Amino acid sequence: MTQPPCPAPTKTILRALAGERLAVPPIWMMRQAGRYLPEYRATRAQAGDFLSLCYNPELAAEVTLQPIRRYGFDAAILFADILLVPQALGAELWFAPGEGPRLSTVTTPAQCDALRPVTDIHDTLSPIYETVRLLRRALPAQTTLIGFAGAPWTVATYMIAGRGTPDQGPAHALKAADRATFQRLIERITEATVEYLSAQIEAGAEVVKLFDSWAGSLKGQDFDDFALAPARRIIAALKERHPGVPVIAFPREAGPRYQGFARATGADCVALDNGISAEWAAAHVQTDGCVQGNLAPGHMVTGGEALVSETRRIVRAFSGGPHIFNLGHGITPDADPDNVALMIETVRSCG
Ligand code: CP3
């Protein structure tokens, strides 16, 4: 007797990731749990600081659920941060109020050697897996749970500089001055990312996303070596351990290098920033499978007719293939929650 085929996924995000074109694109939003929501600010105040919120499974699950309750997004994204991986590897991490993240730096072979072994990261990260387990129990049946990690290059830029940088100068400088140490750091983060994402999937994440926020500053061969190759390695390892779990890759500001990225890395979907034209991406990226994006986050601040017409234009541009509607980058704290509702209403009425 022949085996029945695998059942087709029923959740809209999973259907789009499997390559299905849907009449109404599913929608979620980067940083959908965040400071633009009064209920987030209240829970964050209860937790104390941002890292305490990340490591408190009940409260992290609560803020993850808040935008689902308020808006009914098709996916929830685990509430955590890409910089928890460096912390789990032994870097010190703190958030200076109003200034963003600060880390102890890793720039020498000795500092690289002093990082904790990859197998030890779960000691630090186990509360995150508990958040995932709580969420799988609490989420509505139609809502997909997305786990995530930072891509090695983006995480390395923070570990090398000890902070966010406008041009990733310190990371580029180490890459030029001591390529062996730079390469070792990338490898260590790559291995840790496989273990971290794999543990999220085991805890119940149904999709994982790899954020390479600074991919756009890698040019030429560097893009191949440090954006493409680590993503390919991570995705191959995850596909071997967890076949069927889709991966979204976000090589932000990759420009023309978005073309072929899914094929070269094995990603099921490429997330697009708002610097790339939706019409161009439909012709050159969506031909390989699902795309996600790419409304400019500024529309969540300004709203109005421009929000509506831009949302419609993006839905229309991607209407010929699989598409998950999203912003091109995270929503900002000054956004108006009513504009988020308007975006969702527009997507769901014009599909
Ligand atoms: O999307 C989500 O809602 C899930 C949670 C999430 C956060 N950070 C929560 C967060 C995700 C997916 C991230 C990813 C992340 N973190 C990235 C990649 C995506 C991107 O934005 O490019 C990066 C580069 C970071 C590192 C980071 N974390 C920075 C630079 C900052 C400070 C800037 C800022 O927005 O304040 C953070 C803090 C952070 N991460 C906040 C949130 C909700 C704000 C913290 C607060 O509440 O004060």
Side-chain angles (χ1 to χ4, degrees):
M1 240 177 66
T2 54
Q3 290 287 317
C6 288
T10 52
K11 297 185 182 187
T12 51
I13 296 259
L14 297 178
R15 285 168 62 191
L17 289 169
E20 189 180 335
R21 179 199 162 277
L22 299 167
V24 175
I27 178 169
W28 68 281
M29 191 174 71
M30 282 186 265
R31 293 277 174 99
Q32 63 191 24
R35 287 164 291 183
Y36 74 104
L37 287 179
E39 58 268 38
Y40 170 85
R41 295 194 297 268
T43 309
R44 178 143 153 3
Q46 194 187 332
D49 56 70
F50 171 67
L51 284 175
S52 306
L53 178 54
C54 291
Y55 287 114
N56 181 321
E58 283 75 25
L59 295 184
E62 165 58 25
V63 294
T64 306
L65 292 166
Q66 285 168 350
I68 307 304
R69 286 192 207 112
R70 187 190 265 256
Y71 299 114
F73 282 115
D74 295 291
I77 183 158
L78 165 69
F79 189 84
D81 197 84
I82 66 164
L83 299 178
L84 305 186
V85 165
Q87 189 178 37
L89 284 170
E92 276 176 59
L93 171 68
W94 67 102
F95 280 78
E99 287 180 46
R102 291 284 187 280
L103 299 91
S104 54
T105 59
V106 179
T107 56
T108 65
Q111 287 166 336
C112 204
D113 288 338
L115 291 173
R116 297 174 72 195
V118 165
T119 46
D120 287 0
I121 61 168
H122 306 304
D123 299 352
T124 304
L125 297 170
S126 58
I128 310 306
Y129 314 144
E130 180 58 18
T131 306
V132 173
R133 283 188 285 271
L134 293 177
L135 283 168
R136 269 315 284 282
R137 271 179 255 142
L139 279 167
Q142 71 275 15
T143 314
T144 303
L145 179 58
I146 303 175
F148 73 92
W153 159 250
T154 288
V155 172
T157 65
Y158 288 92
M159 293 180 80
I160 293 164
R163 59 193 300 160
T165 46
D167 59 358
Q168 298 74 59
H172 285 291
L174 182 67
K175 170 161 59 63
D178 183 356
R179 202 164 177 96
T181 300
F182 176 79
Q183 182 77 51
R184 261 173 51 214
L185 182 59
I186 292 284
E187 300 217 336
R188 185 68 75 94
I189 301 166
T190 300
E191 287 162 17
T193 304
V194 169
E195 298 309 318
Y196 182 45
L197 290 176
S198 198
Q200 290 182 30
I201 293 168
E202 277 155 26
E206 300 170 280
V207 173
V208 291
K209 178 168 173 185
L210 205 49
F211 283 87
D212 210 348
S213 304
W214 299 119
S217 81
L218 291 168
K219 303 299 176 199
Q221 188 62 38
D222 277 350
F223 186 90
D224 292 292
D225 292 348
F226 302 118
L228 219 139
R232 183 171 54 226
R233 271 187 60 191
I234 292 164
I235 294 168
L238 292 174
K239 294 281 178 188
E240 199 179 306
R241 293 191 205 180
H242 310 284
V245 175
V247 181
I248 303 171
F250 184 32
R252 192 169 74 91
E253 293 184 353
R257 302 297 312 262
Y258 275 122
Q259 184 170 11
F261 196 86
R263 231 177 311 141
T265 59
D268 300 272
C269 174
V270 175
L272 305 162
D273 69 85
N274 46 280
I276 204 87
S277 124
E279 291 74 15
W280 180 88
H284 297 98
V285 187
Q286 199 183 22
T287 43
D288 281 347
C290 189
V291 291
Q292 179 181 282
N294 69 341
L295 183 68
H299 288 294
M300 298 300 100
V301 181
T302 53
E305 189 44 45
L307 185 172
V308 172
S309 61
E310 271 295 283
T311 300
R312 287 191 179 143
R313 184 184 64 81
I314 290 166
V315 172
R316 207 177 312 120
F318 291 125
S319 63
H323 175 218
I324 298 168
F325 196 93
N326 205 310
L327 301 179
H329 199 194
I331 188 170
T332 51
D334 55 343
D336 180 345
D338 288 345
N339 289 332
V340 176
L342 179 60
M343 168 182 71
I344 296 171
E345 193 186 299
T346 305
V347 169
R348 290 189 173 155
S349 67
C350 77

